[in-house]
Amino acid sequence: ATINIDGSGYRELARELYLSTSVSVYDWSPDGNLIAYTSEHTGAPEINIMNADGSGNRQVTNRLRGSGSYNPVWSPDGQSIMFSTEHTEVNVMRADGSDVRQLTFATSQPLSWSPDGQFILYLSNETSFPRLRVVDKSGENDRLIAVASQEDVLVFEDVFWLLSGAAGVPAPLTP
């Protein structure tokens, strides 16, 4: 739904699109003009994009590798969307749904783009203990940041990035 700051103009966007389907997990584009969201209107979860006023709805994924798509997250420049599939890999595509690239090959959950849009922080469950990892947006240079022990529970509500080093390379920090 959208609403003006003064409380007027309430409008249920998803209800106008698909009255009987599940719409969940959404993200506004950085410029505020588009909304990417997960919808099951085709019977499987897929990433859709619509204009902020609810018009121009379009599905941008279609059973990628035989799997539904979830959890869209816009890149800081609004040109790409990170998402996961039912097989729980992290993927990136252009905002129009083209150029889909699988970045991870183990069970993982996308968490955050770096502020410059060059890196993706994700949680990997390839072993018994969750691992916090970062990979560049091309899928190269995947590196381990932290590993949970048996007693640890990795829960991230917010991720903060700190620019460090002479080159200003982003490094994820968690509260």
Side-chain angles (χ1 to χ4, degrees), residues 3-175:
I3 190 167
N4 296 328
I5 198 162
D6 67 1
S8 66
Y10 179 82
R11 183 172 179 195
E12 290 188 35
L13 302 176
R15 182 173 299 224
E16 293 172 17
L17 293 172
Y18 305 110
L19 292 174
S20 63
T21 63
S22 172
V23 173
S24 63
V25 188
Y26 64 91
D27 193 35
W28 287 84
S29 63
D31 65 7
N33 291 324
L34 299 170
I35 304 168
Y37 64 96
T38 302
S39 173
E40 295 188 29
H41 74 274
T42 62
E46 299 294 351
I47 306 297
N48 290 255
I49 296 176
M50 68 177 158
N51 297 326
D53 67 0
S55 67
N57 184 61
R58 58 209 172 274
Q59 181 178 321
V60 293
T61 60
N62 188 12
R63 300 298 293 164
L64 182 64
R65 292 183 295 283
S67 177
S69 301
Y70 301 90
N71 306 322
V73 180
W74 288 94
S75 63
D77 65 5
Q79 300 300 306
S80 299
I81 297 173
M82 164 179 55
F83 65 98
S84 57
T85 66
E86 288 174 323
H87 300 298
T88 63
E89 308 103 359
V90 176
N91 298 268
V92 172
M93 66 181 168
R94 292 183 195 262
D96 64 4
S98 66
D99 193 25
V100 177
R101 290 166 287 152
Q102 182 177 345
L103 300 186
T104 66
F105 295 88
T107 301
S108 49
Q109 173 187 351
L111 295 175
S112 173
W113 286 91
S114 63
D116 65 0
Q118 298 302 306
F119 300 92
I120 292 172
L121 183 69
Y122 70 97
L123 190 61
S124 172
N125 294 310
E126 73 232 37
T127 66
S128 318
F129 304 111
R131 296 167 180 251
L132 189 61
R133 304 187 70 90
V134 68
V135 63
D136 66 36
K137 69 178 183 179
S138 69
E140 303 293 322
N141 303 312
D142 189 319
R143 59 190 185 273
L144 181 65
I145 301 295
V147 178
S149 69
Q150 188 171 6
E151 296 81 28
D152 293 334
V153 176
L154 292 177
V155 176
F156 300 99
E157 292 184 17
D158 294 308
V159 175
F160 301 94
W161 291 80
L162 172 68
L163 295 181
S164 64
V169 176
L173 295 177
T174 57

